[in-house]
Amino acid sequence: MKLGKLLSFIIISSFLTACGGGGGGGGGDSDTKTEVSDTTPDAFSFVDVVNAKTNTLVVSEAIVVEGINSETSIEIEGGEYSINNGGFTDAAGKISNEDEFRVRILSSPDLSAETSAELTIGGISDSFEVTTRADEVAPNAEIEFPKLQDTWVYEPLLIIRGTATDNRGVEAVYVNGVLAETSDDFQNWQLPVSVTEKNTEFSVTVVDIDGNEAELNPLVVNAHQGNTQRAFRALSIDVNGGNLFAGPELTKIDSTEFEFELYPNLELTVSHLVFDPERNKLYGMAGDNLVELSHQTGEVLQQFDAGSSYTYALDIDPISGKLYWADGRIQSFDPSTGIFETVSSFDKGAGPELNPDALVVVNDQLVYAISGSDLIQVNKDTGDRTLLSNLYESDEKITEIISIDSHSKESKLYLLAKSELSPKGAENLYSFDLAKQKVEKVFDQMTEEEVFADFLTAGLQIDHENDLAYILSYSSGHLYRINLKEKSLNQVSSAYRGQGPVIVGNAEKTIRYDTFLNRLIVHDSSVWSDFGGKLLSINIDSGDREILSGPNTGVGPEFSDLRDITVTDGGRIFVADYGDDSFKEVDATTGDRKVFISSEVGCCNVIELSNAIDVDPAGVTAVVINDMDYLLKVDVNTGAKSILSSSLLGVGSGPDWNGLRDIETNFDTGVVYALGHQTGAITTLYEIDLNTGNRKILASEDQWSDVPGIQHIFLSEDKERLLFIPRDRYTGYFEYNLKTSQLVKKPYAGTNVSILISGFAEYGDRLFGITNVPNSVVEIDQKTGSMMIISQ
């Protein structure tokens, strides 16, 4: 209680005591009390504001009037006030007990300046003071990874990383309101986030010590639909429920929107799937086991030991409910009785023998097998096998069947197959009329802009209710739909990122950065070759893909089996073509191709098994691996060849090697790094002098106890590190420091990421990779291991 109010209380109390007298005499009503009006409130205090913006209206925190029982006066000097969220005013007024008030003033137009307003209520006053910030320069921030918008992630974990600066200091960086992590006052910051949906937005806000803020444009990231690998032929359809099912990680695909939904928390992987439409049941092959799966949750409902170490096909007779599969034999299982049976094999039934990779399919309760190019009917009772047709001898000259399925409402089988009549990299859809014993081409891949669709090693399912064929590509992960009546094709799965032809094929691929035109270049399969028949250029920013050289693009000798690419500073492109034992140059504009090194071009040495090439930045000298054993040094302009180093031929001194796999050359220092084998198949890293051909060992796998088999090496742009690329799917890559000779693992961010990367490219501090199955171009953060799909 304030001193003035206390003195008033004492005086009034004394007066009342005096007037009341003593004893019980007197004439007034002693029970009547008069309440004394109190218009002096308890003291109040404003919380002053610092770091305010200049020339800005600033409102105080709300304060409640206490300690009065009557209305009292309120007035302000230097500002405005508001009562109970009413309008602000500077006129004198009245206020009551428990009313709420605020004060508003205009901050100074100057930096580090103070303004104030004094509010008085019932004779009690306090000032609200506002001090402007010392600086109004907004901080700067940048997202270092991911740099691109609308990218995709295989793994839900993404580590967003960036930098922030300010002329006076950064106070905080927030990602969607969460404080980022830092060890240097936000000069560098990062935050792990989760991406589980498409079009997930992340807003980054940076605040400096003066309260200035800067907000970056929202970063949009998408969760990849499905998973990082497709199982060959693991595709099934529930025509009544409107869903497809895919493996190896069980995934449901809505056949209307074609959203891929990966069943959560399942460790199961399946190699084949089939749906029983009559009993509404889903079955799959998981290793040696036949499993019944819940198509609602994906969990295993029943499991049976099928005794098959490897299965090539799985189908069902919807009438009997029996399952049939091929593992070099034709096997069956009746879920209603639990009985397994060998239907036909080398020791059961007569007729043409079944290949180990024979396929099986059921139509109208009859069982058929595909063995090589033979279509065979199998007697379910005796196991006898009857040749119905040799498909190679048909008018369509079918040479290889990729997948097969049955149209249950027609007496037809559908085949995804290759033909001698089509280019060797093309796969077409055919039908076989069982009644007419006739093959018909349903869809010709060459009519659809040649290689834009990827059917290589794909699964096939027929929707007999709607006369549709679904094809799920193993290599690209894309889902295609063919209308069997109209013979038209659509890619129905998401295009992910970038427009243009998909990256095709299961073989290893190479990626390089073209500094001259600021693009990435990769090779993949085409109608010329399953193993690398065209070059694609990829726009780094958009992910768009276009054919740089290949079928119908450029003239010159065809690509047959591309193994390596190198690009000079001037944009000249050179490739190693293993298939025809040559090294070719590709015109960067027209896509025209010419051989510049082969047994016929250039003097001195026969060219065989050409699998790696490096060309110096000026485009004068090339270093190539020839015959998997020795290095050649080549004049790019004349094709003249000389042996640089060979342990077999005794050129150059130093330790021997027993085969070379890959090279990277530092033309600045005159050193070639070669990945090869010592005697005993020990993977070894060699260093070769570019002038003398002398060799020495830098490291070998007997020093790398926890390193898997290494397939390729990549020399970093700073020329200080070699990146080691594992030959199989792995959870990271390895970095070899050429100065310290230290080898460290660089894991990919996330708990379940196992990716097959076959090549790297670098652009400044940005690292790009080409993945196999599914085929995509990714960017990898070398600091955190986060991975983004930038083109697929």
Side-chain angles (χ1 to χ4, degrees):
M1 184 178 290
K2 299 179 292 298
L3 179 60
K5 189 168 183 179
L6 178 61
L7 291 174
S8 299
F9 178 76
I10 295 171
I11 293 170
I12 294 170
S13 299
S14 300
F15 174 79
L16 291 173
T17 301
C19 291
D29 184 356
S30 61
D31 292 332
T32 301
K33 296 180 180 179
T34 302
E35 183 178 14
V36 177
S37 175
D38 185 355
T39 59
T40 305
D42 294 345
F44 56 89
S45 178
F46 291 106
V47 177
D48 297 330
V49 173
V50 296
N51 281 336
K53 292 182 180 180
T54 59
N55 205 38
T56 302
L57 288 171
V58 181
V59 179
S60 71
E61 293 182 353
I63 299 176
V64 175
V65 176
E66 293 180 334
I68 61 175
N69 57 19
S70 299
E71 268 191 344
T72 191
S73 62
I74 180 171
E75 56 187 10
I76 194 167
E77 182 177 348
E80 301 171 302
Y81 67 87
S82 165
I83 298 174
N84 296 331
N85 292 320
F88 283 92
T89 180
D90 59 359
K94 296 291 184 179
I95 194 167
S96 300
N97 198 50
E98 296 189 357
D99 279 349
E100 185 179 78
F101 63 91
R102 292 177 175 83
V103 167
R104 183 173 73 179
I105 61 174
L106 183 66
S107 65
S108 171
D110 301 319
L111 296 173
S112 299
E114 181 183 298
T115 54
S116 65
E118 184 178 61
L119 183 76
T120 302
I121 299 177
I124 303 299
S125 301
D126 190 45
S127 293
F128 175 47
E129 298 175 354
V130 174
T131 304
T132 54
R133 56 190 57 172
D135 164 59
E136 284 196 329
V137 178
N140 295 311
E142 184 174 349
I143 297 175
E144 294 292 326
F145 190 88
K147 287 182 177 291
L148 301 175
Q149 285 282 9
D150 205 30
T151 53
W152 296 72
V153 291
Y154 287 129
E155 163 70 26
L157 174 64
L158 167 65
I159 301 175
I160 299 177
R161 181 177 61 81
T163 59
T165 59
D166 184 73
N167 60 328
R168 284 171 45 82
V170 177
E171 179 71 24
V173 174
Y174 300 95
V175 180
N176 282 4
V178 179
L179 184 66
E181 303 166 355
T182 185
S183 59
D184 56 7
D185 296 326
F186 297 101
Q187 293 180 55
N188 298 277
W189 55 267
Q190 66 181 46
L191 188 69
V193 298
S194 180
V195 183
T196 58
E197 303 289 340
K198 290 198 296 184
N199 298 317
T200 302
E201 287 194 359
F202 296 98
S203 296
V204 175
T205 303
V206 56
V207 184
D208 68 14
I209 60 174
D210 297 305
N212 300 301
E213 294 186 3
E215 186 167 338
L216 305 184
N217 291 330
L219 174 71
V220 179
V221 185
N222 302 276
H224 193 275
Q225 293 179 313
N227 42 294
T228 60
Q229 185 181 10
R230 290 281 175 233
F232 182 24
R233 303 190 182 108
L235 182 67
S236 185
I237 188 167
D238 171 11
V239 293
N240 299 318
N243 293 311
L244 293 121
F245 302 94
E249 297 169 334
L250 192 59
T251 304
K252 181 165 66 174
I253 308 168
D254 174 14
S255 62
T256 302
E257 300 295 330
F258 298 100
E259 296 286 347
F260 284 58
E261 179 188 348
L262 184 66
Y263 287 95
N265 305 317
L266 292 181
E267 297 181 359
L268 177 80
T269 58
V270 291
S271 58
H272 295 78
L273 290 166
V274 67
F275 194 86
D276 182 348
E278 299 298 323
R279 297 157 192 83
N280 202 33
K281 292 185 176 183
L282 178 64
Y283 296 96
M285 277 290 182
D288 294 347
N289 297 315
L290 180 65
V291 293
E292 181 187 347
L293 303 162
S294 167
H295 49 89
Q296 282 83 26
T297 66
E299 63 183 323
V300 175
L301 302 178
Q302 295 189 79
Q303 180 170 298
F304 312 95
D305 184 0
S308 297
S309 57
Y310 197 87
T311 303
Y312 282 88
L314 176 67
D315 204 1
I316 192 167
D317 174 7
I319 304 302
S320 67
K322 277 189 176 182
L323 297 161
Y324 293 86
W325 66 95
D327 60 359
R329 306 163 292 179
I330 304 299
Q331 307 266 55
S332 73
F333 174 70
D334 187 339
S336 66
T337 63
I339 295 175
F340 286 91
E341 181 185 1
T342 297
V343 177
S344 186
S345 68
F346 69 93
D347 58 359
K348 181 178 181 181
E353 291 188 5
L354 298 174
N355 291 344
D357 58 354
L359 307 179
V360 65
V361 66
V362 181
N363 181 276
D364 194 23
Q365 293 195 277
L366 298 177
V367 178
Y368 301 90
I370 291 285
S371 183
S373 57
D374 290 341
L375 175 61
I376 298 168
Q377 184 172 339
V378 180
N379 187 303
K380 292 185 293 184
D381 298 322
T382 65
D384 289 344
R385 300 172 297 276
T386 303
L387 177 65
L388 291 185
S389 175
N390 183 300
L391 301 176
Y392 176 74
E393 295 176 355
S394 71
D395 292 342
E396 296 295 342
K397 294 290 185 182
I398 291 175
T399 57
E400 181 184 352
I401 289 85
I402 310 299
S403 290
I404 185 169
D405 196 24
S406 167
H407 195 306
S408 60
K409 289 193 173 182
E410 297 178 359
S411 183
K412 281 186 179 180
L413 305 178
Y414 284 86
L415 319 167
L416 191 61
K418 295 184 178 184
S419 167
E420 188 177 88
L421 304 179
S422 295
K424 56 188 174 183
E427 301 86 21
N428 303 317
L429 183 65
Y430 301 87
S431 68
F432 183 86
D433 190 311
L434 292 165
K436 297 178 181 178
Q437 303 274 294
K438 184 176 176 58
V439 179
E440 178 187 359
K441 184 189 293 184
V442 177
F443 178 80
D444 188 339
Q445 186 183 1
M446 293 301 295
T447 64
E448 286 291 321
E449 300 180 75
E450 45 178 297
V451 289
F452 273 55
D454 179 11
F455 298 163
L456 189 64
T457 321
L460 171 68
Q461 277 290 293
I462 301 299
D463 177 352
H464 59 262
E465 293 290 343
N466 300 294
D467 288 321
L468 300 171
Y470 288 97
I471 299 171
L472 182 62
S473 168
Y474 174 65
S475 61
S476 71
H478 283 303
L479 181 66
Y480 302 93
R481 182 178 63 193
I482 295 176
N483 187 305
L484 298 176
K485 300 300 183 185
E486 299 175 1
K487 301 184 179 181
S488 59
L489 171 77
N490 293 100
Q491 179 182 307
V492 292
S493 60
S494 169
Y496 298 113
R497 194 170 191 274
Q499 302 297 315
V502 298
I503 304 170
V504 181
N506 305 333
E508 291 180 2
K509 301 165 188 68
T510 306
I511 183 170
R512 288 290 184 262
Y513 174 65
D514 178 359
T515 58
F516 189 70
L517 294 176
N518 187 32
R519 61 182 177 178
L520 295 167
I521 298 175
V522 303
H523 68 74
D524 72 343
S525 300
S526 79
V527 293
W528 284 347
S529 170
D530 292 344
F531 302 103
K534 70 177 184 291
L535 290 181
L536 292 173
S537 70
I538 297 174
N539 184 295
I540 292 177
D541 295 327
S542 68
D544 290 345
R545 301 166 297 277
E546 63 177 313
I547 297 176
L548 171 63
S549 185
N552 300 328
T553 306
V555 297
E558 297 178 358
F559 298 134
S560 56
D561 186 357
L562 296 181
R563 293 294 180 91
D564 200 7
I565 308 169
T566 187
V567 187
T568 70
D569 285 351
R572 296 177 70 183
I573 302 168
F574 301 88
V575 298
D577 198 333
Y578 186 87
D580 65 2
D581 298 326
S582 73
F583 295 91
K584 298 181 174 76
E585 182 175 0
V586 181
D587 187 287
T589 303
T590 65
D592 291 348
R593 302 163 295 277
K594 67 178 182 180
V595 173
F596 80 101
I597 313 175
S598 71
S599 297
E600 291 75 32
V601 179
C603 69
C604 309
N605 291 285
V606 174
I607 295 295
E608 293 181 298
L609 307 178
S610 46
N611 69 321
I613 180 171
D614 271 343
V615 177
D616 73 295
V620 174
T621 303
V623 179
V624 304
I625 296 177
N626 188 33
D627 199 20
M628 308 294 286
D629 183 76
Y630 51 98
L631 293 178
L632 293 182
K633 195 173 180 180
V634 184
D635 185 307
V636 170
N637 296 313
T638 67
K641 307 179 286 290
S642 61
I643 298 174
L644 171 63
S645 189
S646 170
S647 58
L648 182 64
L649 300 178
V651 180
S653 62
D656 293 345
W657 57 49
N658 185 23
L660 296 177
R661 183 179 296 165
D662 198 11
I663 56 171
E664 286 284 286
T665 306
N666 186 343
F667 289 95
D668 295 336
T669 59
V671 171
V672 181
Y673 302 102
L675 184 68
H677 297 287
Q678 297 180 58
T679 303
I682 299 174
T683 302
T684 304
L685 179 65
Y686 297 88
E687 180 181 290
I688 301 99
D689 188 291
L690 189 56
N691 296 310
T692 66
N694 293 339
R695 306 172 295 277
K696 67 179 182 180
I697 292 175
L698 292 183
S700 62
E701 67 179 348
D702 51 8
Q703 303 168 256
W704 310 329
S705 58
D706 59 343
V707 177
I710 302 301
Q711 185 73 4
H712 295 289
I713 55 176
F714 172 75
L715 181 62
S716 64
E717 196 171 85
D718 59 18
K719 307 295 193 297
E720 295 179 356
R721 298 163 293 125
L722 283 170
L723 306 187
F724 288 9
I725 306 171
R727 70 168 59 94
D728 298 315
R729 303 180 75 84
Y730 197 63
T731 56
Y733 61 97
F734 294 84
E735 184 179 272
Y736 181 80
N737 189 302
L738 291 166
K739 290 184 176 181
T740 66
S741 301
Q742 297 296 309
L743 183 71
V744 296
K745 181 181 178 181
K746 304 285 286 185
Y748 303 131
T751 57
N752 299 311
V753 175
S754 181
I755 299 292
L756 177 57
I757 287 183
S758 59
F760 284 133
E762 207 168 21
Y763 166 41
D765 61 351
R766 299 174 69 181
L767 180 65
F768 302 95
I770 180 77
T771 71
N772 277 27
V773 189
N775 301 329
S776 60
V777 174
V778 297
E779 183 173 358
I780 302 163
D781 189 351
Q782 297 187 70
K783 293 187 176 181
T784 67
S786 277
M787 182 185 298
M788 311 295 302
I789 303 166
I790 69 167
S791 185
Q792 182 181 355

